[in-house]
Structures are given as structure tokens and as C-alpha cells.
Amino acid sequence: MASELQQLRFDPPESNASDESSAKDDRPLLNPESAAVADDDSDDLHQKYAPFVRQDVYGTMGRGELPWMEKVLLAMALVTIVPIRVVVGMSLLVLYYTICRLCTLFHDPNRETDEQEDYAHMVGWRRSVIVWTGRFLSRAMLFVLGFYWISEVYRIPPNEDKSTDENEGQEKSRESERPGAIISNHVSYLDILYHMSSSFPSFVAKRSVAKLPLVGIISKCLGCVYVQRESKTSESKGVSEGTTTNGEYLLPFKTGAFLSKAPVLPYILRYPYQRFSLAWESITGGRHFLLLLCQFVNHMEVIRLPVYVPSAEEKDDPKLYANNIRRLMAKEGNMMLSDIGLPEKRVYLAALNGNNNIRSVLHQKDD
């Protein structure tokens, strides 16, 4: 692993940004496209926006013509397991909402601005109850949704096979290598439940999440950082936000998590499937959740890479740091690199829905 890290690290380019995209890599690299898609045929459209294309039996936007056997399985699930999952899942959500509400009673939130408040600063029994019940109930929710087991693989750092005495001698240096952030690919909203059950971190979320029923108070207890997507104002936190893919591609990382120069812990999430893909890219949220409930068994695979300690060059250049992490994760997760993002995803979805007014699509606001 150490040799691979050295190979994946590279010096900042001396020329303009376009030279960076020409760096050698064994995976194809898609470039952002801003041209209108009205005249493109279907194949060209899907090729241009490949990270957001669905390839399961349900087809584009989850509206493809289904084989009769799939229709039978959907009908069986709708009258058997779906009602049970809805009732039990809502019960778990309401239970955790109640716990968070009780733990935050008579406790003022940490308020940086009118749009940013959280309870992550709480300590003592309140914080312990929120964290441990949150982790347990998140895993319980995944179980209810059909994730009866989760395959987790931990890549061991090269120095882990050393003797006990040597490891004890390195204990002090390892303290300074504790990760400051978890870096993960983003495939589905289910990613959140896994990370909550695993380590209960804070998340970057769009501003409207804080106002959602039930979920709002939970996100504040997590300590979420709320941002306005594609905001260009200096007052907005985070400037822009990422989006989900079909799981086969890895989009560029924002530099916010790398500005602290602290080590990071990379995670790779996968959702193997045979019928319905759990990736949330070109399908509506309601349809995706219903079809998720209709699958009797769902699968998740997790690869946890060793803590990545930045080099001196990476500490001085957050973009270099982010890009090296991205290349490492793409290599370890067998994913392709793509430079397109949320604006291109909006163009693709608009084209699928027959909206060819690209200018209005690119300038739409999303809190």
C-alpha cells in the first residue's frame, strides 16, 4: 500500500488546469459538457453523462418496461414486506427523533449564523445517548430495509505486520495521524445510514435538510454543516455540494475536507444488485424508495482504506490532496474518474424529462 500511495501522489502541474486532465491514468476520464443536448440521440446522451445512467432492469429513470416475473415480485412485495418495513422503519425514525428531542430539551444549540445551528458540542450523558442510540438504530434501520448483513473489508496498513514492541513504539506518532474527516464516494442516501451506524460523523447537507420534519433535529444532533448548492455568495458555507452517481464513477471531491491538512480516512461503498440498483442518480426519490422497499434482500459492500497522511506538498495544495485521494479510491474501488458534477446532472435529468432550456436548468436554485 505504501508503494501505491507513492505512485498515486504527483506534483502539481506547472501549466494550466487543462494539463491536469491529461495526466496518465488507466481509466477513462470524462470532461464536463456545457453544450445543449437537444440534438443528441439517446446513446450519445447516456455516454456523455455516463456517471448518472441507470443500467438495471428498471431502465432509465426507473421507468423501463419490466418482465412479467419482476412485476409478480413487485406485487408480492407490495402486499407482504413493504407494509411491515414502512411501519417498523417509521417507528425507528420517530423513536430516534424523540430521543434527540428529549436530549436537547433545555439545551441551547450552537448557533454560528441564522442558517447554521447544531447540538454537536453537547457532552456528557446527552451526547452519549444520542451517539450510541443513533448508531444502533441506524443499523437497525438498514436491517429493516433488507441489509441483513454488510460485507466490510479493512485494508491493513503496511506497518501492521510488525512486532508488538515496534507498534507500541509508534503509538505516539499514530496519535497525530488520527483522521480529521471521512472521505467516501456518494452513491445513495443509504450511505448516510451506514456512516451513522459505523462512526456517527457530521455531514455536509443542503440547507433545507435542517427544516425537514423528524430529520431536521437529527441532522442538528449530528452536527451537519448546511450549505446552499451552487451558491456564489461569500456568506454561503461550502460554496457547492456534491451529488450521487451510479457507483461506477468517482466525481471530483470538494476541497473543504482537505483544507485542515489533517489525515483522512477513505471509505468505498458498493451496492451489488441483480434487479434494482440502489444508486440514486436519475430516478426520483419516491420511486427509488418504493422499489428499495420491494426488494426482499439488499446488499452493501464496504472497503475501508488505511488512514491517509498527506505529504508536505499535499498540505500546501488542497486540490492536489483531494485529487490524490480520489485517484487512490478509484484504483482500490475499480471506479472510473469523471470530472462532471451536479450542473451536468441537472442537464441530463432535464433532457430525460424533455426540458431543453439548458440556461434555466443550470441556474435553478436548490436550498
Side-chain angles (χ1 to χ4, degrees):
M1 181 65 70
S3 61
E4 292 178 355
L5 294 181
Q6 294 297 327
Q7 293 174 0
L8 288 168
R9 286 173 168 159
F10 55 93
D11 295 330
E14 297 179 356
S15 56
N16 56 31
S18 62
D19 293 335
E20 181 177 340
S21 63
S22 63
K24 292 183 178 180
D25 188 79
D26 56 354
R27 297 172 179 78
L29 183 64
L30 302 179
N31 293 319
E33 295 286 350
S34 58
V37 297
D39 297 330
D40 290 348
D41 59 26
S42 178
D43 291 340
D44 289 342
L45 179 67
H46 295 325
Q47 183 177 5
K48 182 181 295 184
Y49 303 102
F52 312 124
V53 176
R54 294 191 67 81
Q55 299 176 353
D56 61 4
V57 68
Y58 287 82
T60 303
M61 303 184 74
R63 297 176 181 175
E65 182 63 28
L66 299 178
W68 68 270
M69 179 57 70
E70 188 65 26
K71 294 178 180 178
V72 171
L73 292 174
L74 283 176
M76 292 175 56
L78 285 171
V79 298
T80 56
I81 197 170
V82 170
I84 297 174
R85 285 178 169 174
V86 170
V87 172
V88 178
M90 283 301 300
S91 299
L92 292 176
L93 179 59
V94 172
L95 173 59
Y96 191 50
Y97 164 82
T98 303
I99 292 174
C100 290
R101 181 61 69 185
L102 291 175
C103 288
T104 55
L105 280 178
F106 312 112
H107 200 286
D108 294 330
N110 177 36
R111 184 176 287 107
E112 296 182 7
T113 65
D114 292 338
E115 301 292 342
Q116 178 67 43
E117 65 175 30
D118 62 71
Y119 294 95
H121 66 290
M122 288 194 307
V123 295
W125 68 268
R126 295 172 185 262
R127 186 61 183 171
S128 296
V129 170
I130 287 176
V131 171
W132 291 107
T133 57
R135 294 184 64 175
F136 174 80
L137 294 177
S138 296
R139 184 61 187 92
M141 181 70 79
L142 286 172
F143 186 89
V144 171
L145 295 177
F147 296 92
Y148 305 121
W149 59 88
I150 297 176
S151 174
E152 295 180 300
V153 176
Y154 297 88
R155 298 287 168 82
I156 302 176
N159 60 352
E160 286 295 320
D161 57 354
K162 294 183 179 180
S163 65
T164 304
D165 292 338
E166 290 177 331
N167 286 333
E168 289 178 354
Q170 296 176 351
E171 182 176 353
K172 185 175 181 180
S173 62
R174 288 183 181 179
E175 289 294 323
S176 62
E177 296 180 1
R178 288 183 176 178
I182 291 175
I183 307 299
S184 175
N185 60 322
H186 195 14
V187 183
S188 173
Y189 50 82
L190 298 166
D191 303 348
I192 299 173
L193 286 176
Y194 171 76
H195 287 299
M196 285 182 64
S197 66
S198 176
S199 55
F200 205 80
S202 299
F203 294 89
V204 175
K206 60 181 181 180
R207 185 181 299 173
S208 58
V209 170
K211 302 176 182 178
L212 292 176
L214 302 179
V215 176
I217 184 66
I218 295 176
S219 69
K220 293 178 181 179
C221 288
L222 277 165
C224 286
V225 177
Y226 305 112
V227 300
Q228 181 176 345
R229 283 181 167 181
E230 305 305 324
S231 173
K232 302 300 181 182
T233 64
S234 59
E235 297 177 356
S236 296
K237 209 167 191 177
V239 180
S240 60
E241 185 183 3
T243 189
T244 52
T245 70
N246 56 18
E248 298 180 0
Y249 292 80
L250 193 59
L251 304 184
F253 292 139
K254 309 304 178 183
T255 57
F258 306 93
L259 293 174
S260 67
K261 306 179 182 180
V264 297
L265 181 60
Y267 273 82
I268 300 170
L269 303 185
R270 295 172 174 166
Y271 297 91
Y273 67 93
Q274 293 182 347
R275 298 164 47 208
F276 173 66
S277 170
L278 299 180
W280 187 33
E281 52 329 67
S282 65
I283 185 172
T284 61
R287 180 181 294 270
H288 185 280
F289 188 64
L290 177 61
L291 296 177
L292 161 67
L293 294 176
C294 289
Q295 286 207 128
F296 292 92
V297 180
N298 290 301
H299 302 278
M300 181 188 300
E301 296 177 352
V302 180
I303 300 177
R304 175 178 168 178
L305 303 180
V307 173
Y308 187 104
V309 181
S311 64
E313 293 79 7
E314 291 168 331
K315 290 180 179 180
D316 293 335
D317 188 347
K319 291 184 178 180
L320 174 67
Y321 189 4
N323 197 37
N324 287 345
I325 290 290
R326 179 175 170 236
R327 289 179 178 272
L328 172 64
M329 292 177 61
K331 178 180 176 63
E332 295 293 330
N334 195 28
M335 294 178 285
M336 292 175 281
L337 299 175
S338 171
D339 277 350
I340 64 178
L342 183 59
E344 290 77 22
K345 185 176 186 178
R346 285 174 171 164
V347 172
Y348 176 63
L349 296 182
L352 293 180
N353 285 289
N355 180 7
N356 295 321
N357 189 348
I358 304 303
R359 183 179 298 275
S360 65
V361 171
L362 291 176
H363 289 83
Q364 65 178 310
K365 295 181 179 180
D366 185 355
D367 287 337

